Amino acid sequence: MTAVLEISGLHAGYGRIGVLQDVGVTVAAGEIVSLLGPNGAGKTTTLLACSGMARVSGGDIRLDGRSLLRLSPHAIARKRLAHIPEDRSLFPSLTIDEHLRLCAKPGGLDVLELFPELKKRRNRKAGVLSGGEQQMLALGRALCAGPRVLLVDEMSMGLAPVIVERLFSTLREIAASSGLAVLMVEQHVHLALKYAQRGYVLGGGRVRTEGTAGELAERWPEIESSYLGR
Ligand SMILES: Nc1ncnc2c1ncn2[C@@H]1O[C@H](COP(=O)(O)OP(=O)(O)OP(=O)(O)O)[C@@H](O)[C@H]1O
Ligand SMILES: [Mg+2]
Protein backbone atom coordinates (compact mmCIF):
# COMPACT_ATOMS: atom_id res chain seq x y z
CA MET A 1 0.00 0.00 0.00
CA THR A 2 1.52 3.33 -1.02
CA ALA A 3 0.53 6.25 1.14
CA VAL A 4 -0.71 9.45 -0.45
CA LEU A 5 -0.30 11.26 2.87
CA GLU A 6 2.53 10.13 5.12
CA ILE A 7 3.17 11.72 8.49
CA SER A 8 6.29 10.34 10.16
CA GLY A 9 7.99 11.07 13.48
CA LEU A 10 6.10 14.34 13.67
CA HIS A 11 6.83 16.83 16.45
CA ALA A 12 4.64 19.93 16.25
CA GLY A 13 3.07 22.66 18.34
CA TYR A 14 2.43 26.38 18.58
CA GLY A 15 5.13 28.96 19.25
CA ARG A 16 7.27 27.49 22.02
CA ILE A 17 4.60 24.99 23.09
CA GLY A 18 5.19 21.39 21.97
CA VAL A 19 2.01 19.36 21.42
CA LEU A 20 2.72 16.37 19.13
CA GLN A 21 5.51 13.91 19.80
CA ASP A 22 6.66 11.34 17.27
CA VAL A 23 3.29 11.03 15.52
CA GLY A 24 3.10 8.65 12.55
CA VAL A 25 -0.02 8.39 10.38
CA THR A 26 -0.52 7.21 6.80
CA VAL A 27 -3.48 7.51 4.45
CA ALA A 28 -3.64 5.60 1.14
CA ALA A 29 -5.55 6.59 -2.00
CA GLY A 30 -9.27 5.98 -1.56
CA GLU A 31 -8.89 5.40 2.15
CA ILE A 32 -10.69 7.11 5.04
CA VAL A 33 -8.61 7.22 8.21
CA SER A 34 -9.88 8.46 11.55
CA LEU A 35 -8.03 10.27 14.31
CA LEU A 36 -9.62 9.47 17.67
CA GLY A 37 -8.83 10.47 21.22
CA PRO A 38 -9.91 12.71 24.09
CA ASN A 39 -10.05 16.51 24.18
CA GLY A 40 -6.61 18.03 23.93
CA ALA A 41 -5.06 14.84 22.49
CA GLY A 42 -3.58 16.66 19.48
CA LYS A 43 -6.04 15.64 16.74
CA THR A 44 -6.69 19.16 15.41
CA THR A 45 -2.99 19.99 15.74
CA THR A 46 -2.14 17.01 13.49
CA LEU A 47 -4.44 18.38 10.77
CA LEU A 48 -3.12 21.92 11.22
CA ALA A 49 0.47 20.70 10.89
CA CYS A 50 -0.43 19.03 7.55
CA SER A 51 -1.86 22.24 6.15
CA GLY A 52 1.05 24.35 7.36
CA MET A 53 -0.76 26.07 10.24
CA ALA A 54 1.06 24.57 13.22
CA ARG A 55 4.78 24.77 13.85
CA VAL A 56 6.63 21.58 12.93
CA SER A 57 9.85 20.98 14.86
CA GLY A 58 10.70 17.46 13.72
CA GLY A 59 9.72 14.60 11.44
CA ASP A 60 8.11 14.92 8.05
CA ILE A 61 4.76 15.22 6.26
CA ARG A 62 4.75 13.96 2.68
CA LEU A 63 2.13 14.16 -0.03
CA ASP A 64 2.81 11.68 -2.85
CA GLY A 65 6.34 11.33 -1.52
CA ARG A 66 7.13 15.07 -1.48
CA SER A 67 7.66 16.92 1.79
CA LEU A 68 5.16 19.68 2.64
CA LEU A 69 7.41 21.14 5.31
CA ARG A 70 8.55 24.69 4.71
CA LEU A 71 5.68 25.31 2.26
CA SER A 72 3.18 28.06 3.08
CA PRO A 73 -0.48 27.07 3.74
CA HIS A 74 -1.30 28.57 0.35
CA ALA A 75 1.35 26.51 -1.45
CA ILE A 76 0.14 23.36 0.36
CA ALA A 77 -3.45 24.01 -0.79
CA ARG A 78 -2.14 24.26 -4.35
CA LYS A 79 -0.74 20.72 -3.95
CA ARG A 80 -4.43 19.68 -3.75
CA LEU A 81 -4.63 19.27 -0.01
CA ALA A 82 -8.02 20.57 1.24
CA HIS A 83 -8.80 21.23 4.91
CA ILE A 84 -12.27 21.67 6.39
CA PRO A 85 -11.64 23.22 9.81
CA GLU A 86 -13.95 22.72 12.76
CA ASP A 87 -15.55 26.16 12.33
CA ARG A 88 -16.08 25.48 8.57
CA SER A 89 -14.65 28.93 7.67
CA LEU A 90 -17.41 29.95 5.25
CA PHE A 91 -17.96 33.58 4.25
CA PRO A 92 -21.39 34.48 5.76
CA SER A 93 -22.16 37.17 3.18
CA LEU A 94 -21.23 35.13 0.10
CA THR A 95 -23.81 32.90 -1.58
CA ILE A 96 -23.43 29.18 -2.23
CA ASP A 97 -22.71 29.91 -5.89
CA GLU A 98 -20.09 32.50 -5.00
CA HIS A 99 -18.32 30.07 -2.65
CA LEU A 100 -18.21 27.40 -5.34
CA ARG A 101 -17.09 29.79 -8.08
CA LEU A 102 -14.15 30.90 -5.93
CA CYS A 103 -12.74 27.40 -5.69
CA ALA A 104 -13.95 25.38 -8.69
CA LYS A 105 -11.18 23.88 -10.80
CA PRO A 106 -11.24 21.71 -13.91
CA GLY A 107 -11.47 18.09 -12.77
CA GLY A 108 -13.30 19.06 -9.59
CA LEU A 109 -16.68 17.62 -8.67
CA ASP A 110 -20.01 19.11 -9.67
CA VAL A 111 -21.11 19.98 -6.15
CA LEU A 112 -24.59 21.18 -7.10
CA GLU A 113 -25.31 17.78 -8.67
CA LEU A 114 -23.88 16.04 -5.62
CA PHE A 115 -26.00 18.06 -3.19
CA PRO A 116 -29.37 19.06 -4.72
CA GLU A 117 -30.16 20.86 -1.44
CA LEU A 118 -27.42 23.34 -2.30
CA LYS A 119 -28.59 23.71 -5.89
CA LYS A 120 -32.06 24.74 -4.68
CA ARG A 121 -30.53 27.44 -2.48
CA ARG A 122 -27.64 28.43 -4.73
CA ASN A 123 -28.29 32.18 -4.41
CA ARG A 124 -28.63 32.12 -0.64
CA LYS A 125 -25.92 33.54 1.59
CA ALA A 126 -23.95 31.04 3.63
CA GLY A 127 -24.77 32.92 6.85
CA VAL A 128 -28.48 32.06 6.63
CA LEU A 129 -28.06 28.35 5.80
CA SER A 130 -28.82 25.64 8.37
CA GLY A 131 -25.90 23.90 10.09
CA GLY A 132 -26.28 20.86 7.83
CA GLU A 133 -26.40 22.98 4.67
CA GLN A 134 -23.33 24.90 5.83
CA GLN A 135 -21.42 21.67 6.37
CA MET A 136 -22.55 20.44 2.93
CA LEU A 137 -21.22 23.68 1.46
CA ALA A 138 -17.95 23.35 3.37
CA LEU A 139 -17.57 19.78 2.06
CA GLY A 140 -18.64 20.86 -1.43
CA ARG A 141 -16.21 23.75 -1.46
CA ALA A 142 -13.37 21.40 -0.49
CA LEU A 143 -14.36 18.84 -3.13
CA CYS A 144 -15.01 21.21 -6.04
CA ALA A 145 -11.31 21.85 -6.47
CA GLY A 146 -10.65 18.10 -6.95
CA PRO A 147 -8.37 17.50 -3.95
CA ARG A 148 -5.94 14.59 -3.59
CA VAL A 149 -6.10 14.70 0.23
CA LEU A 150 -8.97 15.95 2.38
CA LEU A 151 -8.57 16.78 6.07
CA VAL A 152 -11.87 17.09 7.97
CA ASP A 153 -12.15 18.24 11.58
CA GLU A 154 -15.31 17.12 13.43
CA MET A 155 -17.71 17.01 10.54
CA SER A 156 -20.54 15.82 12.81
CA MET A 157 -20.26 18.79 15.22
CA GLY A 158 -23.74 20.11 16.03
CA LEU A 159 -25.51 18.22 13.24
CA ALA A 160 -28.47 15.84 13.23
CA PRO A 161 -27.38 12.18 12.88
CA VAL A 162 -29.25 11.73 9.57
CA ILE A 163 -27.28 14.60 7.97
CA VAL A 164 -23.99 13.31 9.35
CA GLU A 165 -24.61 9.84 7.91
CA ARG A 166 -25.44 11.43 4.54
CA LEU A 167 -22.22 13.51 4.53
CA PHE A 168 -20.06 10.56 5.56
CA SER A 169 -21.56 8.17 3.05
CA THR A 170 -21.11 10.76 0.28
CA LEU A 171 -17.50 11.16 1.35
CA ARG A 172 -16.96 7.41 1.32
CA GLU A 173 -18.39 7.06 -2.21
CA ILE A 174 -16.16 9.88 -3.46
CA ALA A 175 -13.06 8.41 -1.80
CA ALA A 176 -13.79 4.99 -3.32
CA SER A 177 -14.50 6.32 -6.81
CA SER A 178 -11.86 9.05 -7.10
CA GLY A 179 -9.03 7.77 -4.89
CA LEU A 180 -9.30 10.77 -2.57
CA ALA A 181 -7.37 10.16 0.67
CA VAL A 182 -9.34 11.35 3.73
CA LEU A 183 -7.97 12.02 7.21
CA MET A 184 -10.78 12.88 9.61
CA VAL A 185 -11.05 13.82 13.23
CA GLU A 186 -14.23 12.54 14.81
CA GLN A 187 -15.41 12.53 18.43
CA HIS A 188 -18.20 10.05 17.75
CA VAL A 189 -16.33 6.78 17.86
CA HIS A 190 -19.07 4.62 16.35
CA LEU A 191 -19.40 6.99 13.35
CA ALA A 192 -15.64 7.21 12.91
CA LEU A 193 -15.27 3.43 12.93
CA LYS A 194 -18.30 2.91 10.70
CA TYR A 195 -17.01 5.10 7.88
CA ALA A 196 -13.24 4.82 8.21
CA GLN A 197 -11.19 1.80 7.17
CA ARG A 198 -8.49 2.47 9.79
CA GLY A 199 -7.92 4.66 12.81
CA TYR A 200 -5.31 6.04 15.17
CA VAL A 201 -5.97 6.80 18.84
CA LEU A 202 -4.11 9.86 20.07
CA GLY A 203 -3.53 10.78 23.71
CA GLY A 204 -1.23 13.43 25.15
CA GLY A 205 0.17 14.27 21.71
CA ARG A 206 1.22 10.70 20.89
CA VAL A 207 -0.27 7.81 18.93
CA ARG A 208 -1.36 5.38 21.65
CA THR A 209 -2.67 2.64 19.39
CA GLU A 210 -3.84 2.09 15.83
CA GLY A 211 -5.62 -0.53 13.77
CA THR A 212 -8.34 -1.30 11.29
CA ALA A 213 -11.80 0.02 12.17
CA GLY A 214 -12.89 -3.54 12.99
CA GLU A 215 -9.93 -4.13 15.33
CA LEU A 216 -10.41 -0.80 17.10
CA ALA A 217 -14.16 -1.37 17.52
CA GLU A 218 -13.52 -4.79 19.03
CA ARG A 219 -10.82 -3.46 21.36
CA TRP A 220 -12.68 -0.26 22.26
CA PRO A 221 -13.52 -1.11 25.91
CA GLU A 222 -9.83 -1.95 26.52
CA ILE A 223 -8.68 1.16 24.60
CA GLU A 224 -10.92 3.38 26.71
CA SER A 225 -9.60 2.02 29.98
CA SER A 226 -5.91 1.77 28.97
CA TYR A 227 -5.41 4.92 26.94
CA LEU A 228 -8.33 7.25 27.51
CA GLY A 229 -8.61 6.90 31.28
CA ARG A 230 -12.34 6.22 31.26
N1 LIG B 1 -3.15 27.92 19.18
C1 LIG B 1 -2.69 27.22 20.21
N2 LIG B 1 -1.71 27.71 21.00
C2 LIG B 1 -1.23 26.99 22.03
N3 LIG B 1 -1.67 25.76 22.38
C3 LIG B 1 -2.65 25.23 21.65
C4 LIG B 1 -3.21 25.92 20.53
N4 LIG B 1 -4.17 25.13 19.99
C5 LIG B 1 -4.19 24.00 20.75
N5 LIG B 1 -3.28 24.06 21.73
C6 LIG B 1 -3.00 23.02 22.73
O1 LIG B 1 -2.59 21.83 22.06
C7 LIG B 1 -3.13 20.67 22.69
C8 LIG B 1 -3.82 19.81 21.64
O2 LIG B 1 -4.93 20.54 21.11
P1 LIG B 1 -5.77 20.04 19.88
O3 LIG B 1 -6.67 21.16 19.50
O4 LIG B 1 -4.87 19.49 18.85
O5 LIG B 1 -6.59 18.84 20.54
P2 LIG B 1 -7.77 17.97 19.98
O6 LIG B 1 -7.36 16.55 20.10
O7 LIG B 1 -8.19 18.46 18.66
O8 LIG B 1 -8.92 18.24 21.08
P3 LIG B 1 -10.50 18.49 20.93
O9 LIG B 1 -11.10 17.11 20.88
O10 LIG B 1 -10.86 19.17 22.20
O11 LIG B 1 -10.75 19.30 19.70
C9 LIG B 1 -4.03 21.17 23.80
O12 LIG B 1 -3.33 21.04 25.01
C10 LIG B 1 -4.26 22.61 23.46
O13 LIG B 1 -4.44 23.38 24.60
MG1 LIG C 1 -9.88 19.40 17.93
Side-chain angles (χ1 to χ4, degrees):
M1 183 185 79
T2 27
V4 173
L5 181 69
E6 185 174 16
I7 302 170
S8 53
L10 184 69
H11 292 253
Y14 307 92
R16 290 161 69 185
I17 301 167
V19 175
L20 302 181
Q21 293 168 69
D22 199 24
V23 167
V25 169
T26 61
V27 191
E31 197 180 30
I32 299 184
V33 171
S34 232
L35 292 180
L36 299 159
N39 294 123
K43 305 179 299 293
T44 294
T45 304
T46 305
L47 300 190
L48 290 174
C50 292
S51 47
M53 293 187 284
R55 183 184 54 81
V56 173
S57 54
D60 205 355
I61 302 169
R62 291 171 173 268
L63 198 166
D64 284 327
R66 299 224 172 121
S67 180
L68 298 178
L69 300 190
R70 286 174 286 279
L71 295 182
S72 67
H74 192 73
I76 292 172
R78 277 205 304 264
K79 304 263 177 212
R80 296 167 60 206
L81 181 142
H83 187 163
I84 306 177
E86 212 173 321
D87 69 4
R88 294 162 196 159
S89 295
L90 298 171
F91 301 105
S93 62
L94 294 190
T95 65
I96 290 174
D97 255 352
E98 285 164 341
H99 274 91
L100 298 178
R101 254 188 276 138
L102 278 176
C103 69
K105 296 239 166 57
L109 281 172
D110 187 340
V111 171
L112 297 180
E113 292 307 313
L114 195 63
F115 295 119
E117 296 92 329
L118 295 182
K119 194 172 188 173
K120 269 189 270 169
R121 298 171 180 77
R122 61 194 297 169
N123 294 316
R124 251 191 235 173
K125 293 188 159 119
V128 300
L129 298 175
S130 72
E133 289 158 0
Q134 288 186 9
Q135 192 62 289
M136 249 172 232
L137 177 57
L139 181 58
R141 179 174 64 170
L143 294 172
C144 75
R148 182 108 177 93
V149 175
L150 177 64
L151 311 175
V152 193
D153 205 342
E154 312 245 6
M155 183 140 82
S156 68
M157 178 82 95
L159 300 183
V162 49
I163 306 235
V164 176
E165 300 265 353
R166 163 97 194 283
L167 292 170
F168 276 130
S169 52
T170 304
L171 197 51
R172 193 158 68 178
E173 281 163 26
I174 291 167
S177 63
S178 73
L180 173 70
V182 180
L183 181 59
M184 67 174 193
V185 169
E186 185 50 64
Q187 292 273 3
H188 291 101
V189 175
H190 81 277
L191 270 176
L193 298 180
K194 176 173 172 188
Y195 289 100
Q197 282 92 7
R198 290 190 302 117
Y200 295 79
V201 179
L202 267 63
R206 291 178 179 273
V207 174
R208 300 298 176 179
T209 188
E210 61 175 278
T212 64
E215 286 162 2
L216 292 177
E218 198 171 308
R219 291 175 49 215
W220 200 255
E222 168 227 324
I223 291 172
E224 282 204 310
S225 58
S226 327
Y227 304 110
L228 308 181
R230 282 178 202 148

